Amino acid sequence: MTQRRVLVLNGPNLNLLGTREPEIYGHDTLEQISARLIARGLELELDVECRQSNHEGVLVDWLHEAKAGGVHAVLLNAGAYTHTSIALLDAIKATQLKVIEVHLSDPETREPFRHLSYVGMAAEDCVKGLGPNSYMVALDKAAAL
Ligand code: DQA
């Protein structure tokens, strides 16, 4: 049997993890987090692929591609696009993908402009506030979907 695929999509500025506001986001790089997700994926018999883009339209394209490719679930940390992107909301609705929203921090305890999540309006679930561990918990949730 072929393994179920999980796509991990990261939005703007997440390529800077490790040095970006470490008091909020911690010291782990996106590469380190991605390596741990791939390793955990092996245990869960999930084929995990991790991508990052600073461009909203690229994230939309990747959601379309995930749909066409029969991806089982998407972990999406859309960064600041979480709070602004109706295009990502529409893409999740249009593709009917199972999306789990992920955040290292807890946006709801931060500035008011981070309290609204367009992604959250269509996502199946959300894991936030656990630092890099948010991704690991989200992967376990994806396996259970
Ligand atoms: C973030 C939270 C967002 O508000 C912020 O714009 C990010 C990172 C998080 O993972 O905590 O870029 O998504």
Side-chain angles (χ1 to χ4, degrees):
M1 205 186 89
T2 54
Q3 286 196 336
R4 294 183 300 173
R5 287 177 59 211
V6 172
L7 194 57
V8 183
L9 297 184
N10 288 284
N13 300 306
L14 292 164
N15 55 313
L16 300 180
L17 284 180
T19 56
R20 174 192 181 197
E21 298 180 274
E23 65 287 359
I24 297 175
Y25 300 115
H27 292 275
D28 292 357
T29 65
L30 191 56
E31 247 177 34
Q32 290 168 330
I33 294 169
S34 301
R36 289 205 291 272
L37 284 168
I38 290 165
R40 177 74 183 138
L42 289 175
E43 292 170 4
L44 296 168
E45 299 188 341
L46 296 171
D47 178 8
V48 175
E49 187 188 341
C50 302
R51 301 182 188 176
Q52 187 277 332
S53 176
N54 293 319
H55 303 276
E56 185 177 14
V58 172
L59 295 167
V60 170
D61 285 344
W62 284 343
L63 288 171
H64 295 183
E65 195 189 298
K67 177 65 179 178
V71 160
H72 168 67
V74 177
L75 309 192
L76 176 60
N77 184 350
Y81 291 142
T82 304
H83 318 298
T84 62
S85 181
I86 298 168
L88 282 174
L89 168 61
D90 283 350
I92 298 167
K93 284 181 166 176
T95 56
Q96 296 278 292
L97 283 162
K98 288 182 260 180
V99 172
I100 301 180
E101 178 182 3
V102 180
H103 300 287
L104 296 123
S105 67
D106 181 352
E108 282 187 76
T109 63
R110 299 178 60 194
E111 306 93 320
F113 60 81
R114 295 185 202 276
H115 295 184
L116 175 70
S117 170
Y118 285 104
V119 169
M121 291 177 195
E124 298 264 326
D125 208 340
C126 177
V127 186
K128 59 187 180 179
L130 306 177
N133 218 28
S134 292
Y135 289 89
M136 305 303 281
V137 171
L139 188 62
D140 285 0
K141 284 178 179 278
L145 283 175

